[in-house]
Amino acid sequence: MSNLKLPPIHIHPILFFFLLIAILTGMLVEFFIIFLIVSIHELGHYICARVFKWRIRRIFLWIFGGVMETDEYGTRPIREEFLVTIAGPLQHIWIYFIIYMLDAGSLLPESTLVLAYQYNTFILIGNLLPIWPLDGGKLVQLSLDSFFSFQVSHKWMIMISIVTIVFVSIYVFSRAWLSLSFVLLMIFLIWENRLEWKRRYFKWWRFLWSRYSETTKFRKHREIEVPASISLLDLFRLFKRDTFHRIKVYDQHGKVYWLSERDCLQSYFDQKNIHLVVGQLLTG
């Protein structure tokens, strides 16, 4: 049971603003329903992450959703990260079941249950949009990781996220559904994507460091063919997740050498030389 001890929970200040608005406008029930759904959603992520022994800093909650803050994203196996990501949306199925049971037992007013059903559906669908840091954005990242290098897939995920934000905003505006809540949500998502873009090199370095510092064995092997003149940094940009890389190197005379990604990572991090090239690792 100690493994399920909750981490620090951070409440965004804007949540208290919405609570005040809810009290003043008589929408306290709606506020409580949304907050409860969001909390159950994040609890799903947290429990699954704890099963895999993830290090979790805190759970960040606000009226439109929550974020489980951890440094594990991008360093764990894709399958494991997929399960942690999808664990949040799966909680909405239980919520539908609870709403059904409450309705069958006439334990709550029908109007309250209708609201709970609508909000649960809205949060589920909205959360699966391909926007970072929503679960849909993370699932897009994992899908891209299966085909492209870590650095490429991360950049593409952010671009897809920003394009989706633009299209969703245009659609909502064209349908005259614009509201203060929606504007605040879009500002939050744009800000998060801006931060994610600024953090892209840090996350790539964390990915490389985890490959260097850990001795995880991957079932998938990939051969990379490069010239001896390529820098180690450019070589690392080709690295994919959940894949062990064997590097086939051609020197200027056409002679072939083989290196493992471990050789390259150790040489780079141990020597701390940012200008190191693959050819300097070759040994006749």
Side-chain angles (χ1 to χ4, degrees):
M1 294 299 292
S2 59
N3 288 335
L4 292 181
K5 182 181 178 181
L6 290 177
I9 297 177
H10 178 77
I11 306 295
H12 195 286
I14 201 171
L15 189 64
F16 297 104
F17 168 75
F18 276 98
L19 175 59
L20 177 61
I21 295 297
I23 294 173
L24 295 177
T25 58
M27 298 182 65
L28 197 57
V29 173
E30 288 87 343
F31 176 90
F32 178 75
I33 290 173
I34 295 173
F35 184 77
L36 186 60
I37 292 172
V38 168
S39 298
I40 293 174
H41 177 108
E42 291 305 314
L43 189 61
H45 289 309
Y46 174 74
I47 291 175
C48 190
R50 292 296 293 176
V51 169
F52 291 114
K53 297 180 173 57
W54 282 27
R55 295 163 296 179
I56 302 166
R57 296 197 305 271
R58 65 176 182 174
I59 293 178
F60 179 84
L61 295 175
W62 77 313
I63 190 63
F64 300 112
V67 177
M68 184 183 68
E69 296 186 355
T70 172
D71 291 327
E72 305 290 359
Y73 285 118
T75 63
R76 292 287 185 139
I78 291 178
R79 176 181 174 276
E80 183 178 307
E81 191 170 319
F82 170 80
L83 292 174
V84 173
T85 301
I86 204 67
L90 287 177
Q91 302 313 302
H92 294 267
I93 298 175
W94 292 104
I95 296 173
Y96 281 125
F97 177 74
I98 292 171
I99 293 172
Y100 173 79
M101 295 301 294
L102 290 174
D103 185 37
S106 300
L107 299 177
L108 286 176
E110 184 177 351
S111 58
T112 301
L113 295 175
V114 169
L115 280 175
Y117 179 86
Q118 291 174 343
Y119 284 131
N120 191 48
T121 302
F122 171 78
I123 293 173
L124 173 60
I125 294 175
N127 189 67
L128 290 176
L129 290 173
I131 298 174
W132 181 267
L134 305 180
D135 291 333
K138 294 173 183 175
L139 292 175
V140 167
Q141 168 84 71
L142 295 172
S143 299
L144 292 171
D145 282 339
S146 300
F147 299 97
F148 304 103
S149 68
F150 180 89
Q151 192 178 68
V152 170
S153 64
H154 189 231
K155 288 182 179 178
W156 270 103
M157 181 276 294
I158 298 173
M159 288 188 283
I160 291 171
S161 177
I162 292 172
V163 170
T164 305
I165 290 173
V166 172
F167 275 99
V168 169
S169 299
I170 293 173
Y171 179 76
V172 169
F173 181 78
S174 67
R175 302 285 294 184
W177 292 343
L178 207 59
S179 66
L180 175 61
S181 299
F182 179 80
V183 171
L184 291 174
L185 175 59
M186 290 301 104
I187 291 174
F188 170 77
L189 292 175
I190 292 171
W191 180 261
E192 284 296 312
N193 278 269
R194 174 180 175 273
L195 292 178
E196 191 65 15
W197 181 259
K198 292 177 67 175
R199 289 193 295 251
R200 67 190 186 280
Y201 291 112
F202 165 75
K203 289 201 168 183
W204 181 55
W205 276 106
R206 191 179 66 190
F207 161 72
L208 294 178
W209 178 260
S210 69
R211 299 295 288 257
Y212 162 72
S213 59
E214 299 175 8
T215 56
T216 305
K217 293 185 178 180
F218 302 106
R219 288 182 296 177
K220 186 187 297 184
H221 287 235
R222 179 188 178 212
E223 182 181 303
I224 301 177
E225 192 172 301
V226 296
S229 59
I230 190 173
S231 69
L232 285 181
L233 276 180
D234 287 335
L235 172 64
F236 296 156
R237 290 188 174 96
L238 304 176
F239 281 11
K240 295 175 61 177
R241 292 180 60 181
D242 287 8
T243 303
F244 180 80
H245 303 87
R246 296 183 70 240
I247 296 91
K248 188 177 184 179
V249 186
Y250 288 94
D251 67 11
Q252 58 184 347
H253 304 294
K255 190 173 182 179
V256 177
Y257 298 84
W258 288 95
L259 295 170
S260 72
E261 69 167 64
R262 192 104 191 124
D263 298 327
C264 299
L265 289 167
Q266 285 182 337
S267 297
Y268 184 82
F269 283 104
D270 291 346
Q271 295 185 32
K272 299 179 175 60
N273 184 350
I274 63 173
H275 303 295
L276 207 63
V277 298
V278 171
Q280 293 174 269
L281 277 61
L282 304 181
T283 57

